[in-house]
Amino acid sequence: MGKSRFLKLLFLGVSLCFLVSALLLPIMTLFSRVFFSNGSFIGIKNFQKYFSSPGVASSVSHSFSVSLITTVIVLFIAFWYVYALERSSIRGKGIYRWIAMLPLFAPSMTHGIALIYLFGAKGIITSGFFGALPWLNFEFPLYGKWGIVFAEAIYVFPAVYLMLSVAFKTVDYRLYEAAEVMGTSSVKQFFTITLPGVKFGIISAFFSAFTMVFTDFGAPKVVGGNYNLLATDIFKQVIGQQNITMGAVVGMLLIIPSVIAFIADRLISRRNSAVDSKARPYIIKENKGRDIVLAFFTASVSFIILGIFVTILFAALVKRWPYDLSLTLQWFKIKTLGKSVMEIYRDTIFVAMLSAVMGTIITIIASYISERGRDFKPLRTAVRFLSLIPLALPGLVVGLSYILHFNDKDNPLNFIYGTFFILILANVLHFYSVPFQTITGSMKQLDREYENLSESLGMPWYHVFFRVILPMSKTAIIESFSYFFVNSMMTVSAVTFLYTTKTKVASVEMIDRYDAGDISTAAAVAVLIILTNIIFKFTLEKLKSMKHRYIKKRMEKIKINNPI
């Protein structure tokens, strides 16, 4: 075997070793815990035991009810929000787009904490701005179904917004031109062109939003009260009752909607994969009445989102809510079990950065070898298949499977249990599929003649990989790095079962401080996470903008010096 072929096999080996050890074996351990007992197959007995417990039926119905209601509400709001940005001439579109993305930078329990400060017993709205505006007094049924719906709606809004934005951009303007020539009214165009044009995006967004709500743990933990959901049941079974087997059963139930959503998304992607290269972008025409209505709607939605984040910032800086509203930084200095909030924050950045670096490197290797490799086809197919599975795994399931697998004394990797590395590994696996698809999609667009030319010149494939493929995939790689970092900063579900007092991260500290009744410190931790993610994302966008301006100037200079 030549050096070039050996290195390809090495790339495949690295990818497969990661996917087998971080994905396949832990999930198999989870399955064995559910369907086997003392080495004997017991079928669905554990499920029967779980469903025979009081309150289980309500947890299942509550999970479906909350997920469905939240998804319908968010789809409606996000649709008109995107419609306003893509089909009207309202001002401030750039600001509105940034505001729509804000919830992406915060853990889901952040929105629940903000709602407590707004609608709790001593909340801003509940108290009529502390008695200053009593006519604004409004009591909201915060703890329970509607509190969860409100918090989850904010949590999933950015994802639905992004998916619908892409769908709107793919609708061909030539269809509208033809409709106008035929005298079709604007209302009829909406129902015969716009809605059919974005229907696949709506369906895909529906499944994604439903799954996100169904499997989320943070928001229900904060504002759920006694309203049980499957996501909170798994936490109670594992942490509260130390019943890992029943926790594994609930974890299996959480996988079901994720798998359905994954399959639906694959089918939709295949049917909606073709894009007409001659399609024209939508041309917005003047309509003041439409713009006024949509501007008011968009501003209202943005005001609610901004209100949540301003409230969290306020909560983190107030000395003693609601009795002493003077500003302080004391909540950023609290110590728990020998570690201060800032030390936990430092460890969180460490975990997020290493997760991003390790995840990006592994994803690049897997994407290249599965998409542009030619040898070892069965192994490449296995890498491609396994790389998509994490998309259907809720974070709670990842964390629970890691407990069962890596805490086993017979596991040769048992030494990573209780260390930062297991948190990093869980993060990489949990968020692996989206970067894999992003980088693979970018590499798929590159001409395969690069490899053909290198072979004809006798140049090793890895020279092309480092000198051509990587530089031309830079944008996708940076986006994937950003995705790993931002999500690793704020995830709680994948790591909530895996941390120790020495390896606690910020999102877990938020849950612990909330459980201890110290909501101000939880808000302070949330502020640190949000600011870090916003600064990180803003810096990356600025660097990309500077690079584009530099390239543009170089191209203009070349044209001036070399006129045709």
Side-chain angles (χ1 to χ4, degrees):
M1 181 183 294
K3 179 181 178 181
S4 179
R5 188 175 170 86
F6 172 77
L7 287 176
K8 282 187 179 181
L9 186 59
L10 182 63
F11 266 39
L12 271 171
V14 170
S15 301
L16 281 174
C17 280
F18 166 74
L19 291 168
V20 169
S21 60
L23 169 66
L24 199 57
L25 294 179
I27 293 301
M28 288 174 62
T29 304
L30 180 70
F31 270 79
S32 66
R33 190 62 174 261
V34 173
F35 296 105
F36 289 84
S37 178
N38 297 322
S40 301
F41 180 72
I42 59 173
I44 61 172
K45 287 185 179 179
N46 281 324
F47 288 94
Q48 292 171 340
K49 182 179 178 181
Y50 175 70
F51 279 103
S52 65
S53 304
V56 169
S58 63
S59 294
V60 175
S61 63
H62 288 171
S63 293
F64 276 99
S65 174
V66 165
S67 301
L68 185 60
I69 292 171
T70 304
T71 301
V72 171
I73 291 173
V74 173
L75 270 176
F76 178 82
I77 295 174
F79 178 89
W80 290 109
Y81 195 95
V82 174
Y83 188 89
L85 298 181
E86 300 294 337
R87 296 290 189 267
S88 75
S89 301
I90 63 173
R91 296 181 179 180
K93 289 184 178 181
I95 296 174
Y96 287 138
R97 288 190 175 98
W98 256 99
I99 292 174
M101 301 298 289
L102 276 178
L104 277 180
F105 303 133
S108 60
M109 55 271 197
T110 302
H111 316 125
I113 292 173
L115 291 179
I116 292 174
Y117 279 93
L118 287 170
F119 300 107
K122 301 290 184 180
I124 297 174
I125 306 298
T126 310
S127 63
F129 280 83
F130 309 113
L133 301 171
W135 55 274
L136 270 180
N137 189 312
F138 172 71
E139 291 191 13
F140 181 77
L142 178 61
Y143 295 100
K145 180 178 183 178
W146 295 109
I148 298 172
V149 168
F150 197 161
E152 294 288 11
I154 298 167
Y155 166 58
V156 302
F157 179 80
V160 177
Y161 160 79
L162 286 171
M163 298 177 81
L164 293 182
S165 293
V166 173
F168 267 90
K169 289 183 187 330
T170 59
V171 181
D172 191 352
Y173 182 68
R174 292 176 299 175
L175 298 174
Y176 292 95
E177 288 182 316
E180 288 177 1
V181 170
M182 297 171 64
T184 306
S185 66
S186 298
V187 175
K188 194 171 182 180
Q189 287 181 31
F190 175 81
F191 286 103
T192 58
I193 300 175
T194 303
L195 281 181
V198 300
K199 66 180 179 182
F200 289 115
I202 292 174
I203 296 171
S204 186
F206 175 88
F207 281 109
S208 296
F210 185 93
T211 304
M212 288 175 69
V213 177
F214 195 87
T215 59
D216 180 53
F217 161 75
K221 181 71 171 67
V222 174
V223 294
N226 295 323
Y227 195 82
N228 292 334
L229 302 176
L230 286 174
T232 51
D233 274 2
I234 190 174
F235 184 81
K236 292 175 183 176
Q237 292 287 349
V238 177
I239 302 298
Q241 302 178 26
Q242 296 295 307
N243 192 341
I244 296 181
T245 299
M246 285 298 104
V249 171
V250 182
M252 292 296 297
L253 295 175
L254 286 177
I255 291 178
I256 295 173
S258 299
V259 171
I260 293 173
F262 172 75
I263 295 172
D265 187 65
R266 294 294 95 196
L267 295 174
I268 292 168
S269 298
R270 289 178 183 177
R271 292 191 62 182
N272 198 35
S273 59
V275 177
D276 191 348
S277 60
K278 296 180 180 179
R280 294 175 56 195
Y282 188 85
I283 299 174
I284 300 171
K285 296 183 178 179
E286 187 177 355
N287 186 326
K288 290 185 178 180
R290 173 204 64 196
D291 292 348
I292 290 172
V293 173
L294 291 177
F296 176 77
F297 176 82
T298 311
S300 300
V301 175
S302 299
F303 178 78
I304 293 172
I305 296 174
L306 276 179
I308 293 293
F309 285 83
V310 170
T311 301
I312 277 291
L313 179 61
F314 187 53
L317 297 175
V318 168
K319 186 169 288 185
R320 189 167 177 238
W321 184 283
Y323 308 105
D324 185 352
L325 300 181
S326 58
L327 300 182
T328 180
L329 294 176
Q330 71 183 51
W331 307 116
F332 294 89
K333 302 174 183 177
I334 298 294
K335 281 195 173 185
T336 56
L337 299 175
K339 272 195 173 184
S340 68
V341 167
M342 298 308 295
E343 288 174 323
I344 293 173
Y345 169 65
R346 177 202 63 197
D347 291 342
T348 305
I349 293 179
F350 169 76
V351 169
M353 188 58 69
L354 282 188
S355 297
V357 172
M358 179 178 167
T360 304
I361 292 173
I362 291 174
T363 307
I364 290 171
I365 292 173
S367 298
Y368 179 80
I369 205 64
S370 63
E371 177 57 36
R372 303 189 71 85
R374 295 180 180 178
D375 302 321
F376 315 108
K377 186 176 180 180
L379 295 179
R380 289 191 291 110
T381 302
V383 169
R384 191 180 297 113
F385 172 74
L386 292 174
S387 294
L388 296 177
I389 292 179
L391 205 60
L393 294 179
L396 287 170
V397 173
V398 173
L400 186 56
S401 66
Y402 273 36
I403 286 181
L404 296 171
H405 182 65
F406 291 104
N407 198 27
D408 186 349
K409 293 182 180 179
D410 294 329
N411 189 328
L413 295 177
N414 173 261
F415 66 92
I416 73 170
Y417 191 79
T419 68
F420 281 118
F421 188 78
I422 196 169
L423 303 184
I424 295 168
L425 191 63
N427 285 337
V428 173
L429 177 72
H430 186 201
F431 306 117
Y432 174 80
S433 292
V434 172
F436 173 81
Q437 290 178 302
T438 302
I439 297 176
T440 299
S442 175
M443 290 184 177
K444 189 179 293 186
Q445 296 175 2
L446 302 180
D447 197 332
R448 291 191 176 273
E449 287 302 316
Y450 292 120
E451 282 87 350
N452 295 337
L453 181 61
S454 70
E455 287 182 5
S456 64
L457 294 175
M459 184 184 297
W461 65 269
Y462 46 85
H463 283 191
V464 178
F465 173 72
F466 285 109
R467 296 178 183 178
V468 180
I469 305 300
L470 282 186
M472 295 185 74
S473 304
K474 189 181 297 182
T475 300
I477 291 171
I478 292 173
E479 286 299 324
S480 298
F481 181 86
S482 173
Y483 183 86
F484 273 119
F485 180 86
V486 170
N487 283 282
S488 297
M489 277 294 299
M490 64 182 191
T491 185
V492 61
S493 57
V495 299
T496 191
F497 298 136
L498 301 173
Y499 75 95
T500 66
T501 55
K502 295 181 180 179
T503 61
K504 185 183 289 186
V505 290
S507 57
V508 173
E509 177 69 359
M510 284 183 66
I511 294 292
D512 286 353
R513 298 320 303 167
Y514 175 80
D515 285 341
D518 187 1
I519 306 180
S520 297
T521 302
V525 176
V527 168
L528 290 173
I529 295 173
I530 294 166
L531 289 179
T532 301
N533 282 339
I534 290 176
I535 293 170
F536 177 82
K537 195 70 177 177
F538 181 78
T539 303
L540 278 185
E541 292 299 322
K542 277 294 182 183
L543 291 174
K544 284 164 61 178
S545 178
M546 290 170 60
K547 179 188 172 184
H548 289 156
R549 286 199 298 269
Y550 172 76
I551 293 174
K552 186 177 180 181
K553 287 181 180 179
R554 286 292 303 271
M555 294 299 293
E556 290 174 352
K557 189 175 182 180
I558 291 172
K559 288 181 180 179
I560 293 172
N561 295 334
N562 300 280
I564 296 176

